[in-house]
Amino acid sequence: MLKGKTAIVTGSTSGIGFGIACSLAKEGVNIMLNGFADEATVTAAKAEIAALGVRVDYNGADVGKVEQINAMMDATLAAFSSIDIVVNNAGIQFVAPVEQFPLEKWDAVIATNMSSVFYTTRKALPLMREKGWGRIINISSAHGLVASPNKVAYVGAKHAVLGMTKVVALEAAGSGVTCNAICPGWVLTPLVQAQIDAIAQRDGLTNEEASAKLLSEKQPSKQFASPEDIGALAVFLCSDAARQITGASYTIDGGWTAV
Ligand code: NAD
């Protein structure tokens, strides 16, 4: 039933976003890729999606900037004539205690991880309402439900995204448009590899030892989820069977938030 629909997946040149884009493309969804990446990465990502038999384009908008989001939405409409699915996935991390958290890092994390969700939603919602069908999926985090030290901006933004998800779900209830959130635990992507590298360097550990340490601190399964796991849930949330699921948040976290 998703064949021929169009999705914008923010932050889809890498990691979870690319996994979600591939999963949707396998269902026949045309894809607008987005993210910061060099030309070779973008070309390879586009080719991989196109090989799944759908149309694909790329827009390099900085999702923290409203004018650039507006331009990306317009470009998507021009290329594909509709915006049926928006996956707000782009995100960044910065780690420091509250007293030392640089103001410019606070602004960047809030803009990228939180304000971007408002910027895309305010533009997409009227289009979706008009068609009587739409899916907005916000990638929050286990850190949208529980906290860790030194992540004040990230944890604040990811909690806010869950609140925004519920507001949009209520405002759109009954219109055919749903808004839900996914809260992953550790998924092995470049964002998490950077944190593994930091542990390895700090504690003098190998990559495997640092990965095991990261997992054992939070994720009871002691295993990473994969971008494809997150993509499969996104496809389900877009399905007809999920039409009455709205304002919900789903964890894929190996038991992190069950503790
Ligand atoms: P990643 O670093 O692999 O990918 C992030 C993507 O966002 C990249 O494509 C990057 O270019 C893009 N991006 C960053 N800033 C941007 C901006 N201003 N404008 C446009 N694009 C921008 O990270 P990931 O691990 O795949 O994370 C994706 C999402 O999942 C993030 O929101 C992250 O917070 C969330 N998440 C990840 C994990 C995990 O374990 N990896 C866990 C929970 C939540």
Side-chain angles (χ1 to χ4, degrees):
M1 70 161 284
L2 297 178
K3 198 170 166 46
K5 295 198 184 296
T6 296
I8 296 180
V9 185
T10 68
S12 48
T13 51
S14 155
I16 292 172
F18 186 66
I20 293 172
C22 288
S23 299
L24 289 171
K26 282 181 191 155
E27 301 299 316
V29 177
N30 299 318
I31 303 291
M32 177 59 90
L33 292 169
N34 159 262
F36 298 149
D38 57 34
E39 213 179 314
T41 306
V42 171
T43 304
K46 281 174 76 174
E48 206 169 321
I49 300 279
L52 297 169
V54 296
R55 292 193 290 142
V56 57
D57 205 346
Y58 163 78
N59 186 286
D62 178 341
V63 297
K65 301 210 159 77
V66 67
E67 331 74 54
Q68 295 191 30
I69 288 270
N70 290 345
M72 175 169 70
M73 308 296 270
D74 290 344
T76 307
L77 277 177
F80 300 110
S81 311
S82 71
I83 299 172
D84 307 294
I85 299 165
V86 173
V87 183
N88 288 303
N89 166 78
I92 54 172
Q93 176 65 280
F94 190 83
V95 180
V98 173
E99 314 89 291
Q100 289 149 33
F101 210 91
L103 281 176
E104 69 276 14
K105 294 294 184 189
W106 168 268
D107 287 343
V109 172
I110 295 300
T112 307
N113 297 13
M114 189 186 96
S115 300
S116 60
V117 175
F118 170 62
Y119 297 154
T120 58
T121 303
R122 64 191 278 280
K123 289 288 279 182
L125 201 48
L127 303 168
M128 293 175 173
R129 279 186 195 282
E130 205 177 300
K131 292 185 85 173
W133 195 95
R135 296 288 188 264
I136 300 171
I137 300 174
N138 298 326
I139 307 304
S140 176
S141 170
H143 280 123
L145 296 162
V146 295
S148 294
N150 302 323
K151 295 186 175 177
V152 66
Y154 187 87
V155 170
K158 293 298 189 182
H159 274 69
V161 164
L162 295 188
M164 293 159 73
T165 300
K166 292 188 236 181
V167 171
V168 174
L170 290 178
E171 290 188 15
S175 69
V177 182
T178 68
C179 181
N180 293 291
I182 299 177
C183 298
W186 293 128
V187 184
L188 191 54
T189 66
L191 184 133
V192 167
Q193 186 60 50
Q195 295 177 60
I196 295 169
D197 293 345
I199 293 172
Q201 196 173 9
R202 185 192 67 201
D203 299 347
L205 300 175
T206 64
N207 185 62
E208 287 66 32
E209 289 165 342
S211 299
K213 182 163 191 186
L214 181 94
L215 285 166
S216 67
E217 280 169 3
K218 299 284 183 189
Q219 198 139 309
S221 67
K222 297 188 174 54
Q223 292 160 358
F224 289 107
S226 71
E228 293 72 24
D229 296 339
I230 315 297
L233 179 53
V235 167
F236 170 68
L237 289 173
C238 290
S239 72
D240 201 38
R243 68 191 182 281
Q244 289 302 320
I245 299 176
T246 194
S249 50
Y250 282 79
T251 53
I252 304 192
D253 66 3
W256 178 331
T257 53
V259 180

